[in-house]
Amino acid sequence: MQDLQDAKTLVRAHYTALDSADLNQIENTLAARLSPTCHWRGFHPFNEQSGPAAIAATFWGPVRAALSAVQRREDVFFAGYSGIDGSDGVWVVSMGHLMGLFDAPLLGIPATRKLAMLRYCEFNRVENGKIVETAMYCDLLHLMRQAGIVRFPDQTAQHLVQPGPRDHSGLLTSAQDPAEAAHTLQLINRMIGAIDDANADPEARTPREEMAVCWHENMLWWGPEGIGATYTIDRYIEQHQGPFRRGLADRAFNGHVARLAEGNFGGFFGWPNLTLTNTGGFMGIPANDVRADMRVIDIYRREGDKLAENWIFIDMLHFLLMQGVDVLAELNQK
């Protein structure tokens, strides 16, 4: 229990220092709590980096230069143990928005000089008092929409500035009952198994029967820009699961880097989680035979014995790039 609390304290101090650091102090601020060889993963075009200097130059420097007067608007914060080989240990998870004034361009996304919310989720593995591994996933397509660039206007659901948990219970700064974490993780694992069973035998259960095993009737699915958010089992099936399964085939599950829970919250990320083929057309991209990867973070809130809310981050830019659609290059050609 104390290991989790110590890790939370370290990450909290890291965020406090990072969010208030001057631009010329970002590398030193990262170096104070990151290991010299910290393995950092981010969505395209940030991808994989090693060590504070590269992380500062590639991600935090450009983001902080673009968003002035930045505030971390955190909705979920928890920690837990992940037993997955190669990255087992204590992880701390933070999810919310980085809010600031969009005062300078970022990756070709034009500045608006208006309020902007960069939706993010970050996993940090803590070992011997240092952050040794990070996954920082953020929704750049949604930032583009806020700048007036709607690259995928026909998304099947609705993208908003995604809120936090309905009951505002997501900031788990104090120690939680381990039995609750075990219950949450067991339910997440059961849900993953139900998806695997559906892929192995699509006729065994209807989509509604599959969903009802683990999901609350009025579940909320907070999806990424390009797909959007949806509400209730029936609308989720109509607005996401159905289009996803009709458009994408030959799903291969590649496993997770970390999967953990604390209290009623849990989640996982992979690198990549899934490999699929766009056989039916997806997000307006014509069908093709390319095997493309999805790097995904999922965060869940359990309510009783069912999953009630799910926040999803998908590296759409990377998934589309593998199919020959370079969204950022399109921006920079204008």
Side-chain angles (χ1 to χ4, degrees), residues 3 27 62 105 112 173 193-194 203 220 222 266 297 301 306 316 324:
D3 288 345
E27 181 182 337
T112 64
T173 54
E203 304 303 321
L220 281 154
W222 300 108
I297 279 179
R301 179 176 71 86
K306 296 291 181 75
M316 293 299 192

Side-chain angles (χ1 to χ4, degrees), residues 2-36:
Q2 189 58 51
D3 288 345
L4 297 186
Q5 290 306 108
D6 288 347
K8 289 180 189 177
T9 298
L10 175 71
V11 172
R12 272 274 183 252
H14 170 61
Y15 287 160
T16 298
L18 179 60
D19 294 348
S20 60
D22 292 336
L23 279 175
N24 60 3
Q25 288 298 313
I26 288 177
E27 181 182 337
N28 290 339
T29 302
L30 293 173
R33 293 177 181 84
L34 270 60
S35 73

Side-chain angles (χ1 to χ4, degrees), residues 51-190:
I55 298 166
T58 302
F59 181 77
W60 281 112
V63 168
R64 286 291 305 281
L67 296 176
S68 63
V70 72
Q71 290 185 7
R72 185 180 299 268
R73 311 286 291 195
E74 192 173 49
D75 295 310
V76 171
F77 181 81
F78 67 92
Y81 294 96
S82 177
I84 295 173
D85 289 345
S87 59
D88 56 316
V90 175
W91 290 81
V92 180
V93 180
S94 173
M95 186 198 80
H97 294 82
L98 298 176
M99 184 191 80
L101 297 170
F102 197 177
D103 283 344
L106 178 65
L107 303 169
I109 305 171
T112 64
R113 300 191 70 252
K114 297 178 182 179
L115 184 74
M117 306 279 277
L118 180 60
R119 182 173 179 250
Y120 81 91
C121 188
E122 185 175 69
F123 280 58
N124 285 298
R125 182 163 67 91
V126 176
E127 187 176 274
N128 298 323
K130 291 285 187 179
I131 296 169
V132 298
E133 190 172 359
T134 297
M136 176 62 173
Y137 291 5
C138 58
D139 195 338
L140 290 173
L141 282 175
H142 186 230
L143 187 65
M144 286 172 53
R145 176 179 281 268
Q146 293 170 71
I149 301 168
V150 184
R151 178 60 178 80
F152 300 99
D154 298 324
Q155 60 184 5
T156 52
Q158 175 77 332
H159 196 129
L160 311 168
V161 174
Q162 313 292 41
R166 179 188 180 192
D167 61 1
H168 304 284
S169 64
L171 301 179
L172 307 186
T173 54
S174 60
Q176 306 293 309
D177 182 354
E180 295 298 316
H183 189 178
T184 301
L185 192 58
Q186 182 182 45
L187 183 57
I188 291 171
N189 289 335
R190 186 181 181 192

Side-chain angles (χ1 to χ4, degrees), residues 194-210:
I195 294 174
D196 290 340
D197 291 344
N199 284 316
D201 185 1
E203 304 303 321
R205 286 176 173 163
T206 67
R208 173 165 254 292
E209 289 169 340
E210 173 199 338

Side-chain angles (χ1 to χ4, degrees), residues 7 32 51-52 58 66 115 130 144 151 160 166 186 198 214 217 219 228 242 256 265-266 274 277 289 302 311 318 332:
T58 302
L115 184 74
K130 291 285 187 179
M144 286 172 53
R151 178 60 178 80
L160 311 168
R166 179 188 180 192
Q186 182 182 45
C214 298
E217 182 69 25
M219 54 88 78
H256 296 140
F265 289 83
L274 306 172
T277 306
D289 60 3
R302 175 177 60 82
W311 295 263
H318 176 70
N332 290 301

